[in-house]
Amino acid sequence: MAGTTIEKIAVTGLACAVPTTKYKTESYIERFGETEVGKFVDMVGVKERYVSIENQTGSDLCYTAAKELLSYKNIEPSTIDALIYMTQIPDYKQPSTAYVLHKRLEIKQDCLAFDINLGCTGFIYGITVMASLINSGLVKRGLLLVGEVSKADKMTDNHTNAMMFGDAGAACIIEQGESQINTLLKSDGTGFHIMGIQGGQARHPLNKENPDWDSIEPHMNGFETFRFAITKAPSVWKEFSKSFHCTIEDFDYVIFHQANKFMVDHIAHKMKLTKEKYPLSIDRYGNTNGVSIPITIVDLCEREENIPETIKLLCIAFGVGLSWGTISIVLNKKDVLPMIYSDDYYEEAYSIKFGQGEET
Amino acid sequence: MSIQEKIALLEEMLELEEGTLTEETKLEDLEEWDSIAAISYIALLDDKFNVSISANMINSFQTIADALSYMK
């Protein structure tokens, strides 16, 4: 798509939740050896990250974040007209996890609810889709949720998968307002195989007798991913700046998807950014996929005392799809909640049997 | 940029002493030439030479001369 301005939109609340258990990357030395772990930390930059307990899913973290955000903003669930859940790891194959969240958050029936399967660009896509729904008049106030719980560490002997991904959920309120967002999103399906999880769905279902567990793990061509990101991220910014006649100085911060520190540093270097301009959170939260941009914003607001009351942000994301893009948003610092730590999960979900009448 | 300057860039990238590499150095004998080095090489080409190279091309490299051939 070409760069588009969506008018009369405001992002009026943002909260993120992470589990309470912190894994330090150095604790993997025994498992993978000092050299491997050292190289990983130098390159990828993850020093620690938060990992969910077994029963906790991305929707649980989003529920916690949304509950706190709605309460803080004093918003009645009956005023929410759309709930979109961005995830790659839904609670169920069917229905969309958005309906589980719709029930738990006690949102009215006059509401759209659906999931979108997107990874690292989940937040910027979600904002764009929700803003478009609002701009069309269909929705006045929307709740955007982005959640990922990879469970990768428990499944994998792949060093990168085991040490890279952090678990997190974000909740964001977007509604009619006096601000605007500028958005520019791109897709390239020719790279659909460069990263992803191949097995477990219709094309390659798990074989009942002899399941190929490796096929349901994330696989990534690191070289091609790196090449894609360092080329596309700076070029989409260039196109964005031309479309909207803006420069880096028009933004307080540039928030990158926290894929890999070396990669993000390289992109920032190409965009001639100073270290102060692009905050990092990957060192303490890992790569949390689509949640990494909201996590970085929440972390920034919590950590930095001298940020303006109204923050102008340029968000740049790139990832599985291949999908990439950039959006600009304006946030009030007072609308960003401090990081929430929680191991809460939807206990009743474990006693519900699908297709067996009313839930009691 | 001269061949010597390009070799110096690769030595710096691989954190090797000056004069360690020659055009004939075999990559399979070079412990430092690993997956991280390959990603650093992609970044170096992008940064200094504005060249984009695929993983398959890097995997087909046998000597430092092959790596140097894209640095232009």
Side-chain angles (χ1 to χ4, degrees):
Chain A
M1 63 179 253
T4 305
T5 299
I6 307 177
E7 304 274 3
K8 299 211 171 295
I9 295 291
V11 180
T12 56
L14 180 67
C16 284
V18 293
T20 64
T21 309
K22 195 193 281 185
Y23 279 32
K24 288 201 172 287
T25 309
E26 64 191 24
S27 70
Y28 289 84
I29 288 176
E30 208 172 303
R31 192 162 149 199
F32 298 136
E34 201 167 345
T35 315
E36 279 297 324
V37 173
K39 276 185 189 178
F40 173 85
V41 172
D42 284 349
M43 170 66 75
V44 182
V46 182
K47 291 178 184 155
E48 57 192 35
R49 64 203 217 285
Y50 294 88
V51 177
S52 59
I53 58 167
E54 197 176 339
N55 283 348
Q56 194 179 29
T57 69
S59 86
D60 292 328
L61 288 160
C62 285
Y63 171 77
T64 303
K67 259 305 225 203
E68 295 237 357
L69 183 61
L70 295 177
S71 151
Y72 173 79
K73 292 285 299 180
N74 210 8
I75 289 177
E76 287 295 325
S78 60
T79 62
I80 291 168
D81 309 309
L83 186 161
I84 302 176
Y85 181 46
M86 314 291 302
T87 191
Q88 300 174 109
I89 320 236
D91 289 9
Y92 307 109
K93 214 166 194 173
Q94 300 175 12
S96 280
T97 306
Y99 293 93
V100 180
L101 288 158
H102 181 270
K103 173 204 158 28
R104 295 188 70 197
L105 291 164
E106 298 174 331
I107 297 175
K108 61 181 177 175
Q109 291 189 6
D110 283 326
C111 175
L112 305 176
F114 56 94
D115 289 3
I116 299 180
N117 178 340
L118 265 171
C120 309
T121 51
F123 183 69
I124 64 170
Y125 253 84
I127 296 255
T128 303
V129 170
M130 192 65 92
S132 309
L133 290 172
I134 294 168
N135 193 250
S136 76
L138 210 57
V139 169
K140 287 191 176 68
R141 175 181 275 161
L143 179 61
L144 174 69
L145 304 171
V146 192
E148 294 289 2
V149 164
S150 68
K151 309 280 184 204
D153 176 66
K154 294 170 190 76
M155 304 191 300
T156 191
D157 283 328
N158 175 311
H159 301 187
T160 307
N161 281 352
M163 298 186 283
M164 172 128 95
F165 297 107
D167 297 335
C172 181
I173 295 161
I174 305 154
E175 55 193 318
Q176 292 177 333
E178 291 310 311
S179 188
Q180 64 179 48
I181 67 155
N182 291 331
T183 176
L184 177 60
L185 303 177
K186 303 274 182 181
S187 312
D188 180 7
T190 66
F192 81 89
H193 58 283
I194 287 178
M195 51 188 137
I197 298 175
Q198 196 161 5
Q201 297 289 345
R203 187 72 69 189
H204 298 286
L206 268 190
N207 181 308
K208 277 182 191 156
E209 284 78 42
N210 185 21
D212 175 9
W213 298 114
D214 183 60
S215 77
I216 58 164
E217 289 223 4
H219 287 269
M220 175 170 75
N221 180 329
F223 302 107
E224 289 305 326
T225 304
F226 186 80
R227 192 160 75 117
F228 151 70
I230 64 170
T231 317
K232 297 301 188 187
S235 74
V236 79
W237 155 245
K238 207 179 257 181
E239 189 180 334
F240 185 95
S241 67
K242 275 188 194 148
S243 293
F244 300 110
H245 309 288
C246 58
T247 68
I248 285 295
E249 284 67 43
D250 293 321
F251 303 97
D252 297 310
Y253 295 98
V254 180
I255 313 288
F256 288 108
H257 162 52
Q258 305 286 300
N260 168 320
K261 185 176 181 300
F262 183 72
M263 186 192 276
V264 170
D265 281 343
H266 188 84
I267 296 165
H269 172 68
K270 284 180 84 169
M271 290 173 60
K272 301 187 173 60
L273 304 183
T274 58
K275 292 270 178 211
E276 297 71 38
K277 197 82 180 184
Y278 68 103
L280 292 172
S281 67
I282 189 169
D283 53 333
R284 287 156 295 119
Y285 294 92
N287 175 346
T288 53
N289 291 295
V291 202
S292 82
I293 287 180
I295 283 276
T296 307
I297 298 170
V298 166
D299 180 58
L300 170 76
C301 291
E302 200 171 49
R303 224 162 19 90
E304 282 290 329
E305 283 175 12
N306 298 324
I307 59 173
E309 286 307 312
T310 304
I311 325 161
K312 285 178 262 171
L313 300 170
L314 181 76
C315 306
I316 301 180
F318 37 84
V320 65
L322 302 168
S323 158
W324 69 102
T326 180
I327 64 167
S328 64
I329 56 171
V330 178
L331 262 174
N332 286 323
K333 190 181 166 186
K334 66 171 174 45
D335 290 332
V336 181
L337 269 65
M339 196 68 73
I340 302 159
Y341 300 86
S342 167
D343 292 332
D344 290 348
Y345 65 92
Y346 186 27
E347 277 185 57
E348 296 93 286
Y350 292 92
S351 56
I352 293 171
K353 276 225 183 290
F354 277 26
Q356 292 197 356
E358 293 289 319
E359 183 203 344
T360 51
Chain B
M1 194 182 286
S2 73
I3 288 282
Q4 273 320 309
E5 284 169 321
K6 290 176 189 172
I7 287 178
L9 281 176
L10 291 177
E11 286 168 342
E12 190 190 339
M13 181 189 94
L14 296 167
E15 295 175 7
L16 293 168
E17 294 284 320
E18 203 183 320
T20 314
L21 299 177
T22 68
E23 288 181 67
E24 291 77 34
T25 305
K26 285 199 171 117
L27 298 178
E28 63 179 9
D29 298 337
L30 198 60
E31 194 188 318
E32 290 79 6
W33 187 266
D34 57 11
S35 59
I36 288 177
I39 283 183
S40 304
Y41 175 72
I42 295 174
L44 176 74
L45 285 185
D46 180 63
D47 188 28
K48 296 270 200 290
F49 302 93
N50 205 16
V51 167
S52 184
I53 182 172
S54 74
N56 286 344
M57 285 174 179
I58 297 181
N59 288 336
S60 70
F61 287 179
Q62 294 187 354
T63 62
I64 287 294
D66 295 328
L68 292 169
S69 67
Y70 287 89
M71 298 169 69
K72 58 189 178 194

